[in-house]
């Protein structure tokens, strides 16, 4: 993971040993947990494992590529907008629409794409109706 701001913890929810490369275990702050298959089930399992002091949590699929400042920008946005409970990201390239690609090709597309630094579009932001202690983001975020 190459980020300008590293996460305090990384939780990877897998269904079995075939879901990850052994080198992943050398990643600092990483905890590997097993879960039944299914994105919602795996995310819920990861949420149950979060440190109780967590304030922002990123949910990322195994095929995502992030710009180097992604996590820093997410945290800055959530700090600047405490009334936002969540937001979703905007994919640069939609795999179901365009098909499979190599990671290096995805990195090049990301590198060559002008990223909009403005906050998420209003229709993608969920405003809080009450105080909540936890926020997370998935290619976006939820409190």
């Amino acid at each position: 993971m190459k980020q300008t701001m590293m996460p305090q913890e990384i939780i990877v929810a897998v269904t079995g040993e075939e879901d990850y490369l052994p080198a992943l275990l050398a990643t600092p702050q990483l905890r590997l947990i097993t879960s039944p298959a299914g994105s919602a089930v795996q995310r819920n399992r990861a949420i149950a494992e979060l440190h109780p002091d967590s304030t922002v949590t990123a949910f990322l699929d195994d095929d995502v590529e992030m710009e180097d400042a992604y996590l820093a920008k997410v945290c800055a946005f959530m700090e600047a907008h405490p009334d936002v409970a969540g937001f979703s990201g905007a994919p640069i390239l939609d795999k179901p629409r365009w098909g499979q690609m190599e990671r290096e090709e995805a990195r090049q597309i990301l590198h060559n794409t002008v990223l909009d630094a403005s906050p998420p579009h209003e229709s993608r932001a969920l405003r809080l109706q009450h105080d909540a202690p936890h926020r997370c983001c998935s290619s976006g975020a939820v409190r």
Side-chain angles (χ1 to χ4, degrees), residues 4-131:
T4 58
M5 175 184 170
M6 291 304 290
Q8 292 178 338
E9 75 176 327
I10 301 170
I11 301 172
V12 177
V14 298
T15 59
E17 290 183 10
E18 66 282 355
D19 286 349
Y20 67 94
L21 299 172
L24 180 68
L25 299 176
T27 305
Q29 299 99 359
L30 182 121
R31 279 194 295 137
L32 191 67
I33 60 172
T34 56
S35 169
S39 61
V41 174
Q42 287 173 268
R43 288 179 181 184
N44 286 339
R45 175 81 172 89
I47 288 169
E49 293 292 323
L50 286 173
H51 188 279
D53 294 335
S54 294
T55 56
V56 177
T57 303
F59 290 101
L60 305 167
D61 291 337
D62 59 354
D63 62 350
V64 73
E65 286 294 332
M66 300 177 290
E67 69 161 316
D68 294 349
Y70 177 78
L71 294 176
K73 287 180 179 181
V74 165
C75 289
F77 177 81
M78 294 301 275
E79 278 299 314
H81 299 88
D83 61 324
V84 172
F87 65 88
S88 65
I92 293 172
L93 189 68
D94 186 6
K95 184 174 71 174
R97 188 174 188 186
W98 298 102
Q100 299 287 331
M101 73 172 51
E102 296 297 318
R103 283 212 178 263
E104 190 52 42
E105 182 182 358
R107 289 180 186 119
Q108 281 300 319
I109 290 170
L110 181 60
H111 178 74
N112 295 330
T113 301
V114 175
L115 298 173
D116 181 4
S118 63
H121 186 273
E122 188 66 30
S123 67
R124 287 197 170 140
L126 267 131
R127 300 285 171 183
L128 275 181
Q129 298 301 313
H130 57 81
D131 225 2

